Amino acid sequence: MKNTEEQSVIDKDSLISRRDVLLGLGAATATLAFSGNTTAAMPGHEHSKHSAQHPAVLNAVNTCTDKGTRCISHCLVAWNEGDLDLAACAKKVNEMNAICDGFSKLLAANSSHVNAYAKICRSVCKECAKECRKHDQHIECKECAEACEALVKSINKIFA
């Protein structure tokens, strides 16, 4: 039994605690983060590609997805109240949100696929605006249509 107790004492003394591991990982992460920041601050490091090349389009697409999310939420409330008239609207808005979300990410990343994707986004936003305009009496649908139309105009200015 003495060997077991001695072994237990040896194991406890030789073990690294979770706290020690976490502290070590934190220090390593901080070192990596610091070294990354100093590299970015070095002369000759190019920062122009860090922000979106088309900020107005990016803002418009993000507004569109926000208004679309609000429109879909409104449609869900209407459905819960038994009104199914907004089903086609919700379908188009859901499609638009998916496309605009992808377009937003491509714009933010300055992807080489932005030009091709702009055409798809423009087409989907036109369809969404057309459907939402049928429900102008609902503020959420009206605002979604307006956001889609504004995005189409923004895309036409840059990607005509």
Side-chain angles (χ1 to χ4, degrees):
M1 185 144 235
K2 189 174 184 181
N3 282 343
T4 307
E5 287 176 14
E6 287 176 11
Q7 184 67 33
S8 173
V9 170
I10 292 171
D11 286 345
K12 287 180 183 175
D13 292 339
S14 66
L15 289 177
I16 298 174
S17 71
R18 281 189 277 178
R19 182 178 183 272
D20 292 336
V21 171
L22 292 173
L23 286 172
L25 288 173
T29 302
T31 301
L32 287 172
F34 177 74
S35 67
N37 289 338
T38 57
T39 303
M42 290 173 42
H45 182 78
E46 184 62 43
H47 288 271
S48 67
K49 295 179 182 165
H50 291 198
S51 59
Q53 300 299 308
H54 306 292
V57 178
L58 181 59
N59 288 337
V61 78
N62 288 336
T63 298
C64 204
T65 55
D66 175 59
K67 297 300 182 182
T69 299
R70 294 166 192 255
C71 184
I72 289 174
S73 294
H74 172 72
C75 292
L76 290 172
V77 169
W79 292 346
N80 282 331
E81 294 172 351
D83 181 3
L84 301 179
D85 290 340
L86 298 174
C89 183
K91 183 177 185 222
K92 285 295 178 185
V93 175
N94 187 51
E95 187 176 83
M96 176 277 294
N97 267 354
I99 297 298
C100 284
D101 184 53
F103 190 44
S104 174
K105 290 173 182 168
L106 293 174
L107 284 164
N110 295 317
S111 170
S112 61
H113 300 284
V114 166
N115 290 343
Y117 211 86
K119 293 175 186 174
I120 296 167
C121 189
R122 176 178 37 223
S123 174
V124 169
C125 284
K126 284 180 180 180
E127 292 174 8
C128 183
K130 183 178 178 181
E131 186 61 39
C132 281
R133 282 286 176 206
K134 294 177 184 176
H135 310 283
D136 263 351
Q137 69 273 21
H138 303 280
I139 189 71
E140 295 84 0
C141 295
K142 181 180 180 184
E143 288 179 352
C144 185
E146 290 170 352
C148 283
E149 291 162 353
L151 179 53
V152 168
K153 287 178 185 174
S154 187
I155 289 171
N156 286 340
K157 284 181 188 176
I158 304 293
F159 303 101

